Amino acid sequence: MQAIFIAYDQAHHQAIIEILDKLSCRGFTAFGNVQGRGSDKGEPHYGSHAWPSLAQAMFTFVEDDRVSQLLDRLHELDEAKPRLGLRAFVWPITATI
């Protein structure tokens, strides 16, 4: 099992849920409005007058055989609208309850 943390422009939220549904990745925890900026490029997401957009974040935990499919779909979504911003980070889960 792998944990995937996804940080994204709020405009991507429904599309990400649809991707999870299509890949039968049921469980996730979404964090409402969050602020941040990417380390490489893109505009800040501060929810301010100068930078009005906001980001959201999500944790999902998926079986190993679905990780690459999910990352591929997220990458496609990011490339379709690169100015919005979307990043995903993966690490192994060694134990759960």
Side-chain angles (χ1 to χ4, degrees):
M1 181 172 283
Q2 306 286 326
I4 303 176
F5 176 78
I6 310 165
Y8 53 93
D9 185 283
Q10 62 188 4
H12 284 314
H13 186 74
Q14 189 58 42
I16 292 171
I17 291 174
E18 289 171 8
I19 290 169
L20 293 172
D21 287 345
K22 287 179 185 174
L23 295 175
S24 299
C25 300
R26 180 167 160 64
F28 69 86
T29 299
F31 304 92
N33 296 331
V34 297
Q35 297 179 1
R37 64 178 180 204
S39 57
D40 185 30
K41 55 188 172 187
E43 297 181 357
H45 291 74
Y46 295 154
S48 68
H49 178 71
W51 302 105
S53 66
L54 283 166
Q56 291 188 300
M58 179 182 295
F59 261 119
T60 185
F61 300 86
V62 301
E63 297 302 323
D64 293 345
D65 63 336
R66 294 189 185 133
V67 172
S68 63
Q69 289 178 302
L70 179 54
L71 291 178
D72 288 345
R73 298 275 180 94
L74 293 173
H75 185 66
E76 289 170 7
L77 180 60
D78 182 42
E79 288 200 333
K81 297 181 180 176
R83 293 199 54 145
L84 291 180
L86 186 154
R87 295 292 175 265
F89 305 89
V90 180
W91 59 92
I93 299 302
T94 59
T96 65
I97 59 166

